[in-house]
């Protein structure tokens, strides 16, 4: 699957055991959040999905970093409203 998806994705990864799933998903999310937008592909065989992976699985929820608007940002918004 990785060779099939490589030309159309930013990154491809594979988890061969349930214990590898958290690290592979973390790497996939890392690639999703950086650089140009685009898909990633993670291969998880069906027999691995049935294994007990423990409690270390990520939630899949991403909280984007937030920053307070600066003076320039506020001036730009005010000018756009005017």
């Amino acid at each position: 699957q990785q060779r099939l998806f490589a030309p159309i994705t930013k990154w491809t990864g594979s988890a061969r055991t349930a214990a590898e799933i958290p690290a592979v998903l973390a790497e996939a999310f890392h690639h999703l959040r950086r650089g140009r937008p685009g898909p990633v592909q993670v291969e998880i065989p069906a027999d691995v999905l049935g294994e007990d992976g423990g409690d270390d699985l990520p939630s899949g929820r991403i909280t984007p970093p937030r920053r307070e608007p600066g003076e320039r940002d506020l001036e730009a918004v005010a000018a756009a409203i005017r």
Side-chain angles (χ1 to χ4, degrees):
Q1 284 185 354
Q2 288 180 301
R3 286 190 301 202
L4 175 70
F5 285 103
I8 58 172
T9 60
K10 290 173 50 170
W11 179 84
T12 64
S14 178
R16 299 288 178 219
T17 67
E20 293 176 0
I21 292 173
V24 172
L25 290 180
E27 182 76 9
F29 280 109
H30 169 75
H31 288 282
L32 277 172
R33 291 184 292 218
R34 61 175 257 223
R36 65 178 170 78
V40 299
Q41 183 263 341
V42 176
E43 176 187 10
I44 304 174
D47 59 330
V48 173
L49 288 174
E51 293 178 15
D52 181 16
D55 296 330
D56 295 337
L57 294 176
S59 68
R61 172 172 255 189
I62 298 173
T63 305
R66 301 198 186 275
R67 71 172 181 92
E68 294 296 319
E71 188 65 32
R72 281 184 171 173
D73 297 322
L74 296 175
E75 289 172 5
V77 170
I81 291 173
R82 280 185 243 156

